[in-house]
Amino acid sequence: MSVIQAAALVVVALAGTAVVLVPEPRRQAIVAGLFGLSLAVLFLLFQAPDVALAQIAVAGVGLPAMLLLALARLDEGDEE
Amino acid sequence: MSRRLRGLLFLPLGAAVFAGLVAATAGLPDFGHGTSEYGEWVADNMVGARGTTNVVAPVVFDLRAFDTVGEELILFAAAAACALLLRTLVSEEGERRLRELPAVDVPPVRALARLLVAPVVVLGAYVVAHGAITPGGGFQGGVILSSLALVLVGAGRAALARREGTTTGVELAEAVGAGAFVLLGIGGLVFATAAFENFLGPGTPGDLVSGGIIPLANVAVGIEVAAAFALIFVELIQSGAEGGDG
Amino acid sequence: MSVLPFVVAAWLFVVGVYGVVTSRHLVQLVVCLTVAQASTYLLLLGIGYRHGATAPIFKDVPASTPVVDPVVQALTLTDVVVETTVAALLLALTLQVKRRFGTVDPDELTAMRD
């Protein structure tokens, strides 16, 4: 287990904790995107480029876009 | 039970679960020293037997193709259910407001989005096509292609997302992708002995056309994943949260 | 040190479930669920890793190089994409809940059943 892998694991653990502890949903969407990208770096360090590609695409684009769109729709309902 | 009480109650239970999970993994081989006969057999033989240099692709689309078709149908069902749920939310009021919403008109965003359309298409198609050779494949390339829905909205073409024909076209593409994959499985039944058996020859490893049905399966999955995610994005853009009556 | 990946996987799972238990907003619940799902990816890839081995792509290395386990990568790969779609389904359910009950606070939703 190399030093970089251990460091990446610690970063992932911290990012996961940060995602859970952020209070506001909009900010949490951004932190969730960062958590996903840190996971993708970890997957690359574990010699899994296929999985890292999927994770980058999904957590960088897919999940934050869905979250922010859903949040926008929810707030639209509040304005009425 | 208040939220704080729930949180406090969870802490000892969470610690116990954490300790239990760590203790459970203590029986695993050391990190980096595990062995897997199946994995080693795949790594040793798939280049010759299936002609693909990416040995993860034959595991996904050839050896464990039943698993993949199941996952793909989960994706299909989830996207369809999502579309169903979101469509019941569109009300008269919501539709009127949607038509009057202006498209994105921040010039730098529009310019950047317009510049991005071609590279995204090329990158997505490249990742899908080279699934059998390099890291990539239908799932990754499909998600990349689906971001076109967002890029087009950023380019000021939000009207595309609102038109009736768009959802029909996207749904058609999703059905074509899922059906093509299932047809490949049936092709295995027809042309070879078992469903999803690789009935085309392996070809030369490293060529674009190699690995038998694997590039075709990649294209089918790519179309389906791209359409499913694009459907979700388009439905989220189209729906409104406030309802007519309750 | 060699159990660190599994410890981090267990930690992510527990932290994710803690987030689900103490969430104030249904969208937060979905995001914390995503964190818990990430623990399974980490566990699978941690099992498949081989010390000193490289990625299972033989395009530019000879076919006899030791590689990490490709089977677990195949499992995790489809998993990542499909579970995001399931998260989208949960978000659609959240929008429906907002429409029917007017709130997305899990605590208030529990109270409404009385």
Side-chain angles (χ1 to χ4, degrees):
Chain A
M1 151 101 65
S2 65
V3 176
I4 283 197
Q5 283 172 344
L9 279 168
V10 169
V11 167
V12 162
L14 289 175
T17 322
V19 168
V20 167
L21 294 178
V22 167
E24 211 214 312
R26 276 202 164 81
R27 292 198 194 152
Q28 205 178 29
I30 308 294
V31 180
L34 289 175
F35 168 71
L37 290 180
S38 70
L39 256 189
V41 168
L42 183 64
F43 291 160
L44 278 175
L45 288 172
F46 276 10
Q47 308 292 335
D50 280 295
V51 186
L53 253 182
Q55 177 71 18
I56 291 175
V58 152
V61 174
L63 192 66
M66 280 181 213
L67 288 173
L68 291 175
L69 280 173
L71 285 170
R73 289 285 157 250
L74 285 175
D75 286 345
E76 224 179 65
D78 272 339
E79 279 167 35
E80 269 297 308
Chain B
M1 173 175 309
S2 81
R3 181 176 159 269
R4 178 151 307 166
L5 186 54
R6 269 207 311 266
L8 283 177
L9 257 186
F10 181 81
L11 284 178
L13 291 176
V17 169
F18 179 70
L21 283 174
V22 173
T25 58
L28 287 171
D30 270 348
F31 176 66
H33 297 287
T35 56
S36 159
E37 278 197 36
Y38 189 17
E40 285 167 24
W41 179 87
V42 165
D44 288 335
N45 294 342
M46 278 300 114
V47 181
R50 295 291 182 266
T52 61
T53 50
N54 174 3
V55 293
V56 178
V59 178
V60 173
F61 292 110
D62 188 336
L63 295 173
R64 296 186 56 103
F66 264 129
D67 199 23
T68 306
V69 78
E71 304 243 13
E72 202 191 336
L73 293 178
I74 294 177
L75 215 147
F76 186 83
C82 197
L84 172 69
L85 281 175
L86 290 173
R87 264 179 218 170
T88 64
L89 288 176
V90 179
S91 63
E92 289 303 318
E93 176 70 20
E95 276 193 36
R96 185 188 61 79
R97 288 176 61 216
L98 211 51
R99 271 193 294 276
E100 293 169 5
L101 267 180
V104 170
D105 58 355
V106 179
V109 173
R110 286 175 78 131
L112 183 62
R114 278 171 199 193
L115 284 176
L116 273 180
V117 172
V120 165
V121 169
V122 170
L123 180 66
Y126 168 82
V127 169
V128 169
H130 283 72
I133 309 170
T134 60
F139 287 98
Q140 295 94 327
V143 180
I144 294 176
L145 283 175
S146 76
S147 65
L148 267 181
L150 301 171
V151 167
L152 285 175
V153 169
R157 304 282 288 155
L160 258 183
R162 294 183 214 137
R163 248 192 269 146
E164 260 308 307
T166 312
T167 31
T168 316
V170 168
E171 284 175 357
L172 189 63
E174 194 187 0
V176 163
F181 197 76
V182 175
L183 278 179
L184 278 174
I186 299 180
L189 266 179
V190 168
F191 296 115
T193 47
F196 289 107
E197 179 144 343
N198 208 334
F199 57 89
L200 299 172
T204 329
D207 275 359
L208 203 56
V209 181
S210 62
I213 62 170
I214 292 176
L216 301 175
N218 265 317
V219 171
V221 168
I223 295 177
E224 207 252 332
V225 169
F229 272 90
L231 182 65
I232 292 174
F233 290 145
V234 164
E235 286 295 336
L236 275 174
I237 292 175
Q238 273 184 350
S239 74
E242 23 79 45
D245 40 310
Chain C
M1 225 7 168
S2 68
V3 295
L4 191 59
F6 308 123
V7 166
V8 171
W11 172 253
L12 282 179
F13 181 74
V14 170
V15 156
V17 175
Y18 174 76
V20 169
V21 161
T22 59
S23 62
R24 263 192 209 157
H25 194 283
L26 279 181
V27 174
Q28 280 189 339
L29 204 149
V30 172
V31 176
C32 295
L33 204 55
T34 313
V35 172
Q37 286 168 353
S39 74
T40 58
Y41 313 148
L42 199 51
L43 180 65
L44 278 175
L45 287 183
I47 292 179
Y49 183 71
R50 306 276 175 263
H51 194 65
T54 179
I57 317 284
F58 289 108
K59 178 79 172 136
D60 46 0
V61 292
S64 54
T65 349
V67 292
V68 299
D69 192 359
V71 176
V72 286
Q73 286 191 22
L75 298 174
T76 316
L77 167 57
T78 55
D79 209 6
V80 165
V81 174
V82 168
E83 290 194 354
T84 306
T85 318
V86 173
L89 180 57
L90 289 175
L91 287 175
L93 275 174
T94 309
L95 288 177
Q96 277 283 358
V97 163
K98 174 72 193 272
R99 179 194 179 179
R100 285 194 186 287
F101 299 113
T103 175
V104 283
D105 190 338
D107 289 321
E108 292 179 25
L109 287 171
T110 329
M112 256 173 217
R113 247 192 270 123
D114 298 335

